[in-house]
Every structure is written in C-alpha cells, then in structure tokens.
Amino acid sequence: MTVVRLADQIWGQTAGASPYALGLVFAALLVPDPIGRWLAGGLVALSLVGVARLLVEKSRADEEVRLVTTRSRVLEVELVRQKDALDDFAEGLDTFVFLIDGEGTVLYANRLATAHFDARDSQGSTLLAVTLSSDLQDLMRKAVALGAPVISEIVYSHPIEMVGQTQVWPESAEEPRYFVSIHNITDLRRLERVRRDFVANVSHELRTPMTTVRAMAETLIDEETEQGGSAHRYLSRIVSEVDRLTRITDDLLILSQAESTEPAKQLVDLSQLVELHAETFKPSADAKSLRLLTDIEPGIQAVCNEAQINQVLTNLIDNAINYTQSGHVTVRLATIEEGALIEVEDTGVGISSENTARIFERFYRVDRGRSRQTGGTGLGLSIVRHIVEAHGGKVSVESQLNQGSCFRVVLPCRLNEAESTEPAR
Ligand code: ADP
C-alpha cells in the first residue's frame, strides 16, 4: 500500500468525521475553565488518532481480501486447466473407462467406452445395463465389499466378443464412487492361442518321423553289430539325438496342454501321492549312490490335478538327482498357513543367485553341456511353474553354489472346496 493511497484514504474518511471533530473543538473552546479546555482538546486529538488507526486497519483488511480473491481466481483457473487435461487424458486412452457410484450407476464414460458399448445415454443407467456383463457386476460388488482395487480377466459378449483385462477401484476412501477400466486384450489372447496351437501341432507332427528315424537307426545298429561294421557309433548317436528331440517335443506338448486347458481337479491324498512318487525314484538315486529321504506329514489332502502334480514331483526330484553327485535328496511335505508345502532339497551343484531368477524360463539352462549330458530339455522347471501357478500356488528356489538347492512349492489346500468333493481314491 502506498503512502499516497493511505493519505488519500485518511483524508477521505476524516472528511466524514470532521464535523464531529469540529463540534468537539467548538465545545472545548466554549468550556470556560482553561484546564477543562486542555482536557477537551486532548480528547479531540485522541479521537482523531483513533479514527486514523481504524482507517489504516480497514485499508489493510481490504488489501488482504483483494489478495485472497486474486489467489483463488488463479487456483480456479489452474483447477479448470487440470480437469481439462485429465478429461483429455481419459478421452484419449486406449481403454474403456467408467466412473460409477456404489449402486453401479454410471456417472461418466469416456469416449471409447461410449462408442464401444453404444452408451450415449449411459449416464444414469447401470453398468450392467450398459455392458450386459454379470461377471463385471460381480467384480464391482467385490470391489465395493472390499473397498480395495480388484482385477480380473473377463470375457464380454456384448456388443461383440472381447476379452477385457478389467480393474475396479475406489475413487477415494470418502466417496462411494468407483473407477472401472477395461483394456481390450482379445488380440493378445488370440495370438497366444495361435502360438500354443502352433507349438503343439509342430511337436505332434515331429513325433511320427522321429519314431520312424529311431526305428530305422536301431535296425541298422543291429545289422552293423552282426556284420561287425564301424557305423555303430554314428547310429547310436542318431538314436540318442532322436531320443533327446522326443523328450523336447514331449515336454513342449505337456507345456502347451497345461497352458491351453484348465486342469480337472479333484480331492487328492497328497501325502500318499508324494510318498509313492518319491519311491519310484529310489532306483535312480541308488544308481548314483544318493540317499533319497522323505519327511511327509500324513493325511494332507488338496484339490488338484493328480497327473499334473505328479509331473511337478517328477521334474523336481529328477533334477535334484541329476544335479547331485553325492549326498542326499530329501522330499518333504507339510502343512503351512497358505496350504501344503512340498520341498525337494538336494546337496548338489547348486545355482548361483544371478541364475536362480531365470531358471523357470523356457529353455534356460545354467550349463547347457551338463543339461545335455543329463538328458535335460530346459523345459522342466517352466512346466513346474506353469502347473503350480495354474493351481493358484507358488514355486521358489533357494540355492547356494556347490552346496545344494531347495525347491519349494506351495499349493493352496482349499479345504472348503475339498470337503465337499469326493476323494479320488
Ligand atoms: P533341464 O531339463 O535342463 O534340467 P529345467 O527347466 O528342469 O531344465 O532346469 C533349468 C536349469 O535349472 C537346469 O538346466 C539347471 O541348470 C538348473 N537346475 C534345475 N534344478 C536344479 C537343481 N536341483 N540343482 C542345480 N541346478 C538345477
């Protein structure tokens, strides 16, 4: 505030107060007593100072109001700008976006969602009426009940078939409003299916010629042996390479089957399954002078696909024996909070920490030469991971180079479901 403006204001306001001040001065002059006159004069001066102070404070308050008003206008402009940017962002997204209330009524749909679901008048309609998806309705109810984000892959049939990665999450803790985003992954899933079918078909097609090649090579080996010829070595090599190719195609078929079909599950006595399965590896362990130990908690049941869990055990125990030169392999089964825990521990070559992160990838082998020697395909652990995850479980490994490894599989027991199912055997 400038001095000129202040003086101006004081002048303007004092002008209003001056008649009273003049009145007081005259009243003072009229007082006959000189002391009384001084007192009256003093009072007049004090009142004038008071008036001036009030004016200064009022002018300060006016200035502050002006500043706050300007600031709130700037904030308002900034808010509008941010809202426009968010609107543009939602409109330009390659994802269907809805904002709904706790009852499922659509409050907002972005351009893509409006066009795809033909939802021009969607505001006020329910999400179910717009998308005709009861699965989405269920997911939304789950998010409302949990008050937390939920995500699921949903197959929509309206207006065309579409696989959508769908997420529902609360806007904020205070507002009973929810965002719904649907990302169209139909092409991705179609390409995955094409790849799976391709791998399965190729593996299948290769089997017949490989069987023929093997049979012919074995016939030639027999003839060579009778005639004492020198081609025996090469023919044996052909047989072992064909066997290797057969193992690879077999593993590829197992993997693509596990990927393409949901495993049929039933209640299985896991304790018995693990015990029996470990037994079958005794001869292989004995052949390498390894001790095969078991520590199995009895009576553990789980809802699972028996053949697939057998495959998991085969791959883990087989690896443990293959990658161990001396010592022991221990197979354990116990219940933990998350379900059933299967452990396969060995005292073998171990795996370095930079490799443990990758061994579950397809065809990843720490030592190609050793894997080839032991007849490995590089697919065993990816099959394990796929099967375990398809059962809602987890697989992990802890290992130290030259000390040994411990593979852990956690399978949810799902006792409620299990209790209502008849035992498989
Ligand atoms: P492979 O057929 O080559 O054994 P896997 O997918 O079963 O393929 O395993 C991937 C790689 O992980 C193996 O090549 C090996 O290097 C390592 N591996 C698996 N199990 C063990 C183990 N018990 N001890 C040491 N290394 C292992």
Side-chain angles (χ1 to χ4, degrees):
M1 180 165 57
T2 61
V3 178
V4 177
R5 264 178 55 210
L6 178 65
D8 194 32
Q9 280 192 3
I10 291 179
W11 174 253
Q13 300 294 332
T14 331
S18 53
Y20 306 104
L22 280 174
L24 282 168
V25 170
F26 281 125
L29 288 174
L30 290 177
V31 176
D33 181 3
I35 296 172
R37 259 209 305 272
W38 277 110
L39 276 173
L43 276 173
V44 170
L46 276 174
S47 341
L48 281 175
V49 168
V51 168
R53 277 191 61 190
L54 275 176
L55 287 174
V56 169
E57 270 164 25
K58 181 179 177 295
S59 132
R60 261 193 216 135
D62 285 352
E63 183 69 5
E64 260 167 37
V65 168
R66 209 177 54 77
L67 275 175
V68 169
T69 315
T70 317
R71 231 178 276 148
S72 76
R73 270 198 207 118
V74 170
L75 281 174
E76 210 175 289
V77 170
E78 179 61 16
L79 266 177
V80 170
R81 209 179 59 78
Q82 280 189 11
K83 187 185 166 298
D84 287 350
L86 279 175
D87 281 351
D88 288 348
F89 174 71
E91 292 303 321
L93 272 182
D94 182 19
T95 302
F96 310 118
V97 179
F98 292 97
L99 178 65
I100 54 169
D101 66 14
E103 307 297 309
T105 309
V106 175
L107 305 172
Y108 164 81
N110 74 343
R111 202 180 311 140
L112 201 70
T114 308
H116 179 83
F117 290 102
D118 194 16
R120 266 179 293 276
D121 308 317
S122 64
Q123 280 193 15
S125 315
T126 63
L127 195 60
L128 179 65
V130 173
T131 61
L132 301 185
S133 168
S134 54
D135 289 346
L136 175 58
Q137 172 94 338
D138 292 344
L139 191 71
M140 197 199 86
R141 286 207 186 106
K142 204 167 150 192
V144 174
L146 287 173
V150 285
I151 189 161
S152 177
E153 198 172 303
I154 292 178
V155 179
Y156 296 85
S157 49
H158 168 78
I160 50 162
E161 184 137 315
M162 172 184 81
V163 185
Q165 184 75 15
T166 309
Q167 191 166 358
V168 184
W169 70 102
E171 183 198 344
S172 70
E174 296 82 40
E175 293 276 348
R177 302 201 301 188
Y178 299 81
F179 285 115
V180 179
S181 74
I182 305 168
H183 189 59
N184 188 346
I185 53 167
T186 317
D187 285 346
L188 184 72
R189 290 291 175 260
R190 191 177 50 78
L191 284 174
E192 277 175 2
R193 200 177 54 239
V194 169
R195 177 188 57 79
R196 270 200 312 268
D197 291 353
F198 174 76
V199 172
N201 288 337
V202 167
S203 311
H204 199 73
E205 292 298 321
L206 285 175
R207 271 179 145 190
T208 320
M210 279 185 321
T211 314
T212 316
V213 170
R214 192 182 195 284
M216 287 179 172
E218 277 192 323
T219 316
L220 284 173
I221 286 177
D222 290 345
E223 283 177 12
E224 272 294 305
T225 317
E226 278 164 23
Q227 292 163 18
S230 60
H232 188 281
R233 205 155 42 92
Y234 297 111
L235 289 167
S236 301
R237 181 75 193 270
I238 290 176
V239 171
S240 74
E241 289 301 321
V242 168
D243 284 347
R244 210 172 85 75
L245 273 176
T246 310
R247 280 195 301 276
I248 294 178
T249 49
D250 283 352
D251 272 1
L252 280 172
L253 268 176
I254 292 173
L255 196 57
S256 59
Q257 262 162 18
E259 279 180 336
S260 55
T261 48
E262 172 74 14
K265 296 174 192 159
Q266 55 193 352
L267 187 65
V268 169
D269 185 335
L270 212 53
S271 306
Q272 207 181 340
L273 183 81
V274 176
E275 184 83 63
L276 287 177
H277 208 75
E279 274 293 304
T280 61
F281 280 90
K282 258 209 156 298
S284 333
D286 289 346
K288 287 184 80 177
S289 306
L290 297 174
R291 274 178 302 144
L292 184 63
L293 310 170
T294 52
D295 178 6
I296 293 164
E297 192 182 307
I300 300 182
Q301 297 194 321
V303 176
C304 60
N305 181 295
E306 191 174 328
Q308 289 197 335
I309 298 304
N310 266 335
Q311 185 72 54
V312 167
L313 291 166
T314 300
N315 293 6
L316 293 181
I317 304 175
D318 198 35
N319 275 350
I321 294 174
N322 280 339
Y323 296 104
T324 304
Q325 295 317 318
S326 61
H328 61 262
V329 170
T330 311
V331 182
R332 293 191 198 92
L333 175 69
T335 36
I336 56 168
E337 205 180 317
E338 299 95 312
L341 169 71
I342 303 171
E343 278 185 351
V344 179
E345 192 184 31
D346 63 57
T347 52
V349 294
I351 307 157
S352 65
S353 52
E354 66 264 30
N355 282 308
T356 46
R358 300 201 58 192
I359 53 169
F360 293 96
E361 290 172 19
R362 283 165 205 208
F363 293 113
Y364 188 81
R365 280 164 280 198
V366 177
D367 181 340
R368 281 189 169 264
R370 197 192 325 242
S371 165
R372 189 179 270 264
Q373 256 174 31
T374 58
T377 61
L379 290 167
L381 289 181
S382 43
I383 292 174
V384 168
R385 185 172 68 175
H386 195 88
I387 292 177
V388 171
E389 287 179 357
H391 278 78
K394 270 197 183 126
V395 59
S396 59
V397 62
E398 220 171 82
S399 186
Q400 277 207 336
L401 214 51
N402 301 321
Q403 305 266 317
S405 315
C406 183
F407 285 81
R408 286 198 183 89
V409 170
V410 178
L411 284 179
C413 281
R414 296 203 278 164
L415 278 176
N416 289 341
E417 197 181 322
E419 277 159 7
S420 60
T421 320
E422 278 297 301
R425 54 198 167 91

